[in-house]
């Protein structure tokens, strides 16, 4: 019974943490947003390597034409890496 409860807790937590894979419509570059937002759009001004943001640039995520997240700095394989500044509306 103890193992069943632990398993159910893990499933509940996993379902509560959704992600959204966003694609820049201009470049095809992709970014995985750490929360669920089916209506969000993203843009990346830097280089793309294997469809992932790499190098220095600006990543913005918008929802209904309002910027809700912005990262200015370095990325590697779609992840923040090195120097940068981050802002989100959450």
């Amino acid at each position: 019974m103890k193992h069943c409860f632990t398993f159910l807790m893990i499933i509940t937590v996993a379902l509560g943490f959704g992600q959204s894979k966003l694609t820049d419509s201009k470049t095809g570059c992709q970014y995985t947003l750490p929360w669920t937002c089916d209506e969000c759009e993203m843009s990346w001004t830097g280089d793309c390597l294997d469809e992932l943001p790499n190098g220095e640039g600006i990543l913005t995520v918008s929802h209904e034409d309002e910027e809700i997240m912005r990262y200015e700095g370095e990325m590697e394989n779609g992840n923040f890496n090195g120097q940068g500044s981050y802002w989100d509306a959450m």
Side-chain angles (χ1 to χ4, degrees), residues 22-32 41-62 67 69-86:
L22 307 177
T23 303
D24 185 328
S25 61
K26 295 178 184 171
T27 65
C29 205
Q30 299 179 348
Y31 174 71
T32 302
E41 297 178 356
M42 65 85 67
S43 68
W44 168 247
T45 64
D47 292 334
C48 251
L49 180 63
D50 296 327
E51 297 181 338
L52 297 172
N54 274 279
E56 192 161 329
I58 300 172
L59 172 74
T60 56
V61 176
S62 301
E67 187 175 289
M69 188 190 99
R70 181 180 190 92
Y71 174 75
E72 296 183 36
E74 297 180 32
M75 295 190 76
E76 183 176 344
N77 298 322
N79 297 304
F80 304 157
N81 184 49
Q83 295 283 328
S85 64
Y86 175 84

